[in-house]
Amino acid sequence: MLVKWIRCSVVDRPGFERGQRKWAGLLGEPGFRGQGGGWSRKRPDVAHIFGFWESRAFYDSFMARSHDRLAAGQAGTYKDMQVLLFERQFDVKVGFQPRFTDVDVVRVAHCQVHADRVEHFTLMQEKVWNPAMAGSPGMLRGVFGHAPGNEFLVLSMWNSAAEHGKYREERVQRLGSRAEVDVDIAALAGDVVATEPSWTV
């Protein structure tokens, strides 16, 4: 499965939201699995969208055919768009489904990992972070993806911002030192995204 993460700064919020609803046109596209997103809880002008495709081939076909027509509805409503693509390596909690209807917040972490630490980083994700997240109340599901250049995406979906906050306060620091994240990671960027139900496709 291919995971697409789009982040942009919005300059015309009503226009952007109107355009976002037009992405319902993705339904019926071959290989499309789901899309959702919302607004950054830290920076209210930043929007995040997460799209899921069965494979890179289906995604490339969509980009060549239908993408520009759907995207035209949002022209001029945003700036500084960043688009990143990741191949799913494994699920965070079993049985990942790209659904957003029960999700209150999405936590996204973008990690650039030192080349000689990729194996260790991946192992720690599997053995330390995944069980801790999977066992946390309110954590619904997630996905761990990889992109060329030792870039990784950790995406987790939560049924309430409060439960995610508790997990961060109570466990993240302890788990981080156990997983040696300071040694593995060259750069880390992330955000907590409040989902917008009307953006779900």
Side-chain angles (χ1 to χ4, degrees):
M1 187 169 64
L2 187 76
V3 184
K4 180 179 186 177
W5 172 30
I6 304 161
R7 181 178 61 201
C8 56
S9 300
V10 174
V11 292
D12 169 9
R13 191 163 171 145
F16 183 86
E17 293 205 297
R18 273 196 307 277
Q20 196 57 43
R21 287 192 281 274
K22 291 183 180 162
W23 288 96
L26 282 164
L27 289 171
E29 282 288 338
F32 174 70
R33 298 280 308 277
Q35 182 167 288
W39 299 102
S40 165
R41 286 173 60 94
K42 286 189 276 193
R43 294 184 50 204
D45 62 322
V46 171
H48 295 267
I49 295 109
F50 308 100
F52 300 86
W53 295 81
E54 267 174 48
S55 70
R56 181 65 190 252
F58 279 123
Y59 170 74
D60 287 344
S61 170
F62 160 73
M63 290 299 289
R65 285 180 300 100
S66 314
H67 173 271
D68 291 358
R69 176 175 49 81
L70 291 171
Q74 282 175 306
T77 65
Y78 60 85
K79 60 179 184 176
D80 306 329
M81 177 176 277
Q82 181 186 33
V83 179
L84 296 169
L85 300 172
F86 299 86
E87 287 286 348
R88 175 175 73 173
Q89 276 201 293
F90 48 78
D91 296 343
V92 180
K93 210 166 183 175
V94 292
F96 178 79
Q97 293 291 325
R99 288 186 295 109
F100 289 84
T101 47
D102 53 350
V103 178
D104 183 36
V105 295
V106 176
R107 163 66 181 162
V108 57
H110 178 212
C111 310
Q112 291 179 309
V113 177
H114 295 294
D116 61 338
R117 301 289 295 186
V118 164
E119 203 175 312
H120 181 266
F121 175 78
T122 305
L123 184 69
M124 290 300 99
Q125 187 62 44
E126 222 170 340
K127 303 289 186 205
V128 176
W129 291 104
N130 279 13
M133 273 198 272
S136 294
M139 193 280 185
L140 300 169
R141 54 193 165 273
V143 66
F144 178 75
H146 180 223
N150 304 324
E151 290 191 45
F152 293 87
L153 178 80
V154 185
L155 191 72
S156 57
M157 299 174 169
W158 299 75
N159 68 8
S160 86
E163 287 295 351
H164 175 255
K166 271 195 277 187
Y167 165 76
R168 287 191 71 175
E169 281 168 31
E170 292 167 11
R171 310 188 74 176
V172 166
Q173 198 171 0
R174 182 169 48 81
L175 292 166
S177 51
R178 192 173 144 208
E180 298 178 5
V181 288
D182 294 346
V183 184
D184 288 352
I185 294 175
L188 173 65
D191 211 343
V192 178
V193 184
T195 55
E196 283 287 343
S198 64
W199 299 9
T200 297
V201 184

